[in-house]
Amino acid sequence: AQSVTQPDIHITVSEGASLELRCNYSYGATPYLFWYVQSPGQGLQLLLKYFSGDTLVQGIKGFEAEFKRSQSSFNLRKPSVHWSDAAEYFCAVGTQGGKLIFGQGTELSVKP
Amino acid sequence: GAGVSQSPSNKVTEKGKDVELRCDPISGHTALYWYRQSLGQGLEFLIYFQGNSAPDKSGLPSDRFSAERTGGSVSTLTIQRTQQEDSAVYLCASSSKVARSDTQYFGPGTRLTVL
């Protein structure tokens, strides 16, 4: 079955600290993976995506993600979190027809 | 250029009434998707349109839900005889083509509340 799991529902980090949001996927073929961010009252904005090539992907706003096939993971990282990064983060896998299957999301809070 | 727009931004309706939600995709995008975001179910796919092909309706939760796309551009999602469980944020997205790797650009959503 195709699925995406984000084990952490809510994470709190201090401003300036590093961040890692976990994502595990289940997909039979080569996965096409995405991270989106959703600020309150907003739609989803693409942070980065992976579909081939280098397993370390750079995105916007200083985010990066690493694809690890052996672990079926696509974790999102940022070396130093800013207060403006507080939002909800969604990992997704692209399926046939372009339909996205999303994880449940991780809500990030940033302490001053 | 303009992004994906949706209207209305908020809709409050009474149980049993019909509602129409509108999506204007990015100009030139041939693929259009509808998703629903609710507390219990997270983000789930509803339907997508690609050009003049038959839409993929596999995610529609019941026959009370329908959608159309006129002229390959604007789309309307219609919910008939609304129920309280239909309360959710309905998100529309568009992409330049239907492909697993293509980026979908999302609108701000329509928050539907069924009383």
Side-chain angles (χ1 to χ4, degrees):
Chain A
Q2 304 164 354
S3 66
V4 176
T5 302
Q6 293 179 246
D8 304 306
I9 296 173
H10 189 195
I11 283 182
T12 300
V13 299
S14 297
E15 190 167 17
S18 64
L19 171 71
E20 182 169 27
L21 302 182
R22 296 183 291 164
C23 172
N24 293 97
Y25 67 90
S26 174
Y27 193 72
T30 301
Y32 292 73
L33 298 162
F34 304 79
W35 274 100
Y36 281 87
V37 61
Q38 185 179 37
S39 299
Q42 304 295 313
L44 281 76
Q45 180 184 22
L46 180 71
L47 287 175
L48 48 79
K49 65 180 182 180
Y50 169 82
F51 52 93
S52 67
D54 195 346
T55 56
L56 186 62
V57 181
Q58 302 297 320
I60 62 171
K61 305 184 180 186
F63 285 93
E64 65 179 26
E66 185 171 14
F67 170 63
K68 292 185 178 181
R69 184 185 298 274
S70 61
Q71 299 178 18
S72 298
S73 69
F74 188 55
N75 294 348
L76 183 71
R77 301 195 294 247
K78 186 170 185 178
S80 178
V81 168
H82 188 261
W83 63 266
S84 61
D85 293 324
E88 190 152 20
Y89 292 79
F90 293 92
C91 181
V93 63
T95 68
Q96 185 160 357
K99 294 177 284 187
L100 293 172
I101 295 177
F102 288 92
Q104 289 296 100
T106 298
E107 185 179 354
L108 173 65
S109 298
V110 180
K111 291 190 301 185
Chain B
V4 177
S5 60
Q6 294 185 244
S7 60
S9 55
N10 280 284
K11 176 71 176 179
V12 180
T13 190
E14 294 179 348
K15 177 181 173 181
K17 297 288 180 78
D18 298 351
V19 295
E20 287 188 350
L21 313 179
R22 176 188 168 103
C23 171
D24 279 278
I26 293 172
S27 178
H29 278 190
T30 60
L32 187 149
Y33 302 80
W34 284 97
Y35 295 87
R36 179 169 69 173
Q37 184 174 24
S38 58
L39 283 177
Q41 302 298 321
L43 268 160
E44 51 183 349
F45 164 79
L46 296 177
I47 184 171
Y48 83 79
F49 299 87
Q50 164 61 4
N52 295 321
S53 303
D56 179 339
K57 306 179 183 180
S58 60
L60 294 179
S62 79
D63 58 9
R64 295 187 296 106
F65 288 72
S66 63
E68 63 176 18
R69 189 177 184 191
T70 54
S73 181
V74 171
S75 177
T76 302
L77 178 69
T78 301
I79 309 173
Q80 296 179 310
R81 305 181 302 282
T82 52
Q83 304 294 312
Q84 288 184 331
E85 60 263 29
D86 299 335
S87 296
V89 176
Y90 291 81
L91 293 167
C92 175
S94 70
S95 65
S96 59
K97 60 184 183 294
V98 170
R100 290 201 292 138
S101 61
D102 213 41
T103 298
Q104 294 180 27
Y105 297 86
F106 283 80
T110 294
R111 180 175 296 279
L112 175 65
T113 303
V114 182
L115 301 177

